[in-house]
Amino acid sequence: MDKRMVYEPADEETTQTAGCIFAVADGIGGRAAGEVASLIAVRELQKNYYQIVQNTSPVEALRLAVLKAHNNIIEEVACDSNLSGMGSTLTVAAVVGERIS
């Protein structure tokens, strides 16, 4: 496992409406720069989820945040050919109150 993240917003209102996110990202074995891809995945997830969830459900916000992370990994590869072939798994959940998405 390359990266794991538990993020609870500092402000109570955001915690109540958007919840906490939990993520595990692991670079794909044998692929170039998997640890870089996993770092990008969790960083972008955290950055984007809380912006997106303001306008949609937690499930949809997770889906869109993961898609943005995926696109960011692709952009990084386009900018640096040494990263060609990098990839990562990403497992994520949002816990809002007593609901897990």
Side-chain angles (χ1 to χ4, degrees):
M1 170 178 46
D2 289 322
K3 297 292 172 200
R4 63 184 178 275
M5 175 190 64
V6 176
Y7 184 79
E8 181 176 359
D11 107 62
E12 185 64 30
E13 183 178 337
T14 301
T15 301
Q16 290 178 357
T17 59
C20 302
I21 53 175
F22 300 81
V24 174
D26 194 14
I28 296 172
R31 297 285 186 148
E35 70 282 353
V36 175
S38 61
L39 175 63
I40 292 169
V42 296
R43 182 187 68 210
E44 292 300 308
L45 174 72
Q46 178 184 343
K47 181 174 106 179
N48 292 304
Y49 171 77
Y50 288 100
Q51 293 172 355
I52 297 168
V53 78
Q54 295 174 18
N55 300 309
T56 191
S57 71
V59 170
E60 183 65 4
L62 286 175
R63 187 185 76 76
L64 293 171
V66 168
L67 184 58
K68 284 183 173 252
H70 172 76
N71 290 336
N72 193 273
I73 290 169
I74 290 170
E75 289 172 13
E76 290 290 325
V77 170
C79 292
D80 185 349
S81 62
N82 292 323
L83 300 176
S84 180
M86 77 173 175
S88 177
T89 62
L90 178 62
T91 303
V92 61
V95 178
V96 183
E98 295 182 9
R99 296 193 63 154
I100 299 174
S101 300

